Amino acid sequence: MQHARKVAKVTFADLQGNPKTLAEYQGRLVLLNLWASWCPPCLREMPALAKLRSKLQGSSIQIVPLSIDEDPAAVTPFLAKHELKLDDSWIDSKKEIEKIMPANVVPATYIFDPNGNLVGFIRGYLDWDDPDIADYLLRFAAKYQTLAQSKAKQ
């Protein structure tokens, strides 16, 4: 996570079909979590990720679930069936994420700095329930706040 990389501007959709972009979270550390309804590890990971989102609410970290299901109409029923409270999930049925990183492994989480640069990624399942993860992410986000404050003073 030491080399930030500018990424292509891509547009996703929310569950209602409205356009969504990472620029909406400018100034925040963003974890874009790719998932799909056909992915068993995603289903295992999603409840823990939802808990982490609640724990980090009010921080400078935004966790955005991004479904890469080809049929957008299948996403909402899937979330309801599994009682996943992710109604702010985005959809990428056209795999626009491929302009940033390959979407050949799910789950996958891409980490973007407050300027929208890709600074890291995790490919595959992660135990988001690990108590050290929230603290690590908060320290990581604080690093960017410190950098921004230093640049503002110059």
Side-chain angles (χ1 to χ4, degrees):
M1 295 189 193
Q2 295 188 6
H3 303 287
R5 179 173 66 112
K6 294 210 177 288
V7 298
K9 293 181 182 174
V10 295
T11 302
F12 308 111
D14 65 14
L15 295 177
Q16 293 74 40
N18 301 310
K20 303 300 263 177
T21 67
L22 291 171
E24 294 178 33
Y25 297 115
Q26 190 81 18
R28 300 182 81 180
L29 187 71
V30 177
L31 279 69
L32 186 69
N33 179 259
L34 271 61
W35 66 274
S37 61
W38 44 263
C39 166
C42 296
L43 184 57
R44 197 171 95 206
E45 177 178 84
M46 291 167 79
L49 196 58
K51 280 191 255 175
L52 180 63
R53 284 174 25 151
S54 293
K55 190 175 191 176
L56 295 173
Q57 195 166 358
S59 74
S60 62
I61 301 168
Q62 182 67 42
I63 299 174
V64 180
L66 177 68
S67 166
I68 60 168
D69 282 278
E70 291 179 8
D71 180 7
V75 174
T76 299
F78 173 82
L79 294 172
K81 176 183 174 183
H82 295 285
E83 298 178 0
L84 296 167
K85 308 243 186 285
L86 298 172
D87 25 339
D88 61 344
S89 191
W90 292 358
I91 299 173
D92 184 17
S93 59
K94 296 178 184 170
K95 304 253 187 340
E96 291 293 306
I97 193 68
E98 292 274 350
K99 295 177 181 173
I100 297 173
M101 289 287 285
N104 58 351
V105 173
V106 287
T109 303
Y110 301 121
I111 305 167
F112 299 88
D113 72 12
N115 295 319
N117 298 310
L118 181 66
V119 293
F121 59 91
I122 303 159
R123 297 185 73 185
Y125 173 82
L126 182 68
D127 180 9
W128 294 102
D129 277 328
D130 183 316
D132 294 332
I133 288 179
D135 291 336
Y136 173 80
L137 291 172
L138 289 168
R139 285 193 315 271
F140 193 62
K143 167 187 159 186
Y144 285 101
Q145 289 175 335
T146 302
L147 287 172
Q149 290 168 353
S150 295
K151 286 183 181 182
K153 289 178 182 178
Q154 294 176 355

